[in-house]
Amino acid sequence: MSIEKVARLAGVSTATVSRVLNDHPGVRSTTRDKVLAAINACDYQPNLLARQLRTSQSRMLLVLIPDLTNPFCSRVVQGIEAEAEAQGYHILLCHSGSLFRRETAYLALLTGKVVEGVITLDAVNRLPELIALIGDSPWVQCAEGDPAFGRSTVTIDNFDAAASTVKFLVAKGRKRIALVNSDTRYLYAQQREAGYVAALKDAGLNWSAISYASDVSCEAGTAATDELLAQAQRPDAIIAVSDVLAVGVMHAIQEAGLCIPDDVAVVGFDGIPFTSSLNPPLTTIEQPMGKMGARSVQLLLESIRHPQATATHDVLPWKMVERRST
């Protein structure tokens, strides 16, 4: 089915069909409805490559994800994809594993305008080398949120969230609060550790312990917790910087014959849905993962449409979801 046949069926010109396909504002709603009905009736599929050559727009966004197996990343991607689709865009997903060769291959698509912009969830220390590849093309940081790079960012206040979690546990009478952290190349890991340390100091607690997980997995969370429980004074509360790590934390505590929360309270980060089904259900800092993804798309499209616009740094609200692990 060709665009000419769609035009004949709708009783309009091919130019009008083209304007509808490209979401041009200068089309009356009644005419737009007729064209869309004709497109659906004909099952017309526009030639995306031809449109790209004609308009210099691919309506495709590149998303760089370091670890798609992490449920946090998956939920953010869902938000990105839903908002992109609502805006008439598609996404090209690069599960990079933080491998430079993979990212280099995908970022080369910027040169030929195969993609119009980039959303990255990469660690902040990776950004300088990525920027060298991205150049002046539009891009947005999601979850890391470092304004120093001069691009729009979307994140939460990680320092405040971690500090508030310590205060929450102190109010419950916990005095030996430990932290299971992840890779401190990530800004969120640095900020949550800083918030943890500052809150302990404010509470006048001299006991602290930080164990660094080798990666964000249940197994790594278990290994990191085993180190904490082997100390002469074991913690009476553990904060994990991700829910996935928190699952491993809980496993280690229970394998040691200890009770949650009577012996050790546990708090996670992210608000992944499965945490409500754990035994006991996990208290967690809930991040607005879908909204973070959606807002990243909105900021990227603003950058694409208005290249000279000032960068925007959005800090979205988080909330504590208290359950029986505390």
Side-chain angles (χ1 to χ4, degrees):
M1 180 59 66
S2 67
I3 192 171
E4 290 80 7
K5 291 182 180 178
V6 171
R8 284 199 300 272
L9 184 60
V12 298
S13 68
T14 56
T16 298
V17 176
S18 179
R19 284 196 290 271
V20 172
L21 289 172
N22 289 289
D23 201 24
H24 194 281
V27 180
R28 287 182 298 181
S29 59
T30 54
T31 302
R32 186 182 300 276
D33 290 343
K34 285 196 302 182
V35 172
L36 292 176
I39 288 171
N40 289 332
C42 299
D43 194 23
Y44 172 69
Q45 300 294 324
N47 188 324
L48 297 179
L49 179 58
R51 185 174 69 183
Q52 179 182 342
L53 294 172
R54 185 172 61 253
T55 65
S56 296
Q57 290 181 326
S58 67
R59 303 189 80 81
M60 184 79 72
L61 308 176
L62 176 62
V63 183
L64 299 179
I65 301 293
D67 183 8
L68 196 53
T69 64
N70 185 333
F72 169 79
C73 292
S74 300
R75 302 284 289 189
V76 171
V77 169
Q78 288 177 18
I80 290 172
E81 187 167 38
E83 182 62 22
E85 183 177 352
Q87 299 274 1
Y89 278 74
H90 299 282
I91 67 168
L92 181 62
L93 188 62
C94 171
H95 182 194
S96 69
S98 294
L99 296 174
F100 189 64
R101 59 176 177 78
R102 283 191 191 173
E103 292 168 331
T104 300
Y106 277 87
L107 287 170
L109 299 175
L110 284 166
T111 305
K113 289 289 186 180
V114 176
V115 296
E116 296 184 38
V118 183
I119 297 172
T120 176
L121 277 76
D122 271 289
V124 69
N125 79 317
R126 298 285 326 287
L127 293 181
E129 58 189 12
L130 293 180
I131 291 169
L133 296 172
I134 295 171
D136 294 329
S137 298
W139 64 279
V140 169
Q141 281 180 272
C142 180
E144 281 292 78
D146 189 348
F149 292 95
R151 290 292 198 265
S152 293
T153 62
V154 184
T155 186
I156 65 166
D157 189 334
N158 289 292
F159 181 98
D160 181 61
S164 296
T165 303
V166 171
K167 293 173 186 176
F168 165 79
L169 291 168
V170 169
K172 287 185 168 290
R174 306 292 171 164
K175 298 185 182 301
R176 298 185 305 280
I177 303 170
L179 178 70
V180 171
N181 205 350
S182 60
D183 192 337
T184 53
R185 293 178 298 177
Y186 284 90
L187 188 60
Y188 80 83
Q190 299 171 28
Q191 293 170 334
R192 291 174 194 175
E193 182 172 322
Y196 161 81
V197 171
L200 287 180
K201 182 177 180 181
D202 289 344
L205 297 178
N206 295 321
W207 193 98
S208 67
I210 302 174
S211 184
Y212 296 94
S214 58
D215 55 52
V216 180
S217 67
C218 298
E219 294 77 11
T222 295
T225 305
D226 286 340
E227 293 179 5
L228 294 171
L229 297 179
Q231 295 186 7
Q233 273 194 312
R234 63 167 172 77
D236 59 12
I238 298 176
I239 302 168
V241 298
S242 87
D243 287 342
V244 174
L245 289 173
V247 173
V249 171
M250 293 174 69
H251 178 74
I253 293 169
Q254 291 166 336
E255 283 293 300
L258 300 171
C259 182
I260 303 169
D262 294 347
D263 297 317
V264 188
V266 182
V267 181
F269 249 92
D270 292 338
I272 304 300
F274 70 73
T275 56
S276 63
S277 301
L278 298 174
N279 186 22
L282 177 67
T283 294
T284 182
I285 298 297
E286 185 176 271
Q287 297 196 73
M289 296 169 283
K291 290 182 179 178
M292 291 171 74
R295 186 60 181 146
S296 296
V297 172
Q298 293 165 4
L299 292 177
L300 181 57
L301 294 183
E302 287 176 18
S303 180
I304 290 170
R305 293 161 182 163
H306 308 286
Q308 304 307 317
T310 304
T312 299
H313 306 294
D314 279 9
V315 180
L316 302 184
W318 55 270
K319 68 176 181 179
M320 168 82 73
V321 179
E322 184 177 359
R323 300 194 184 107
R324 295 205 308 272
S325 70
T326 53

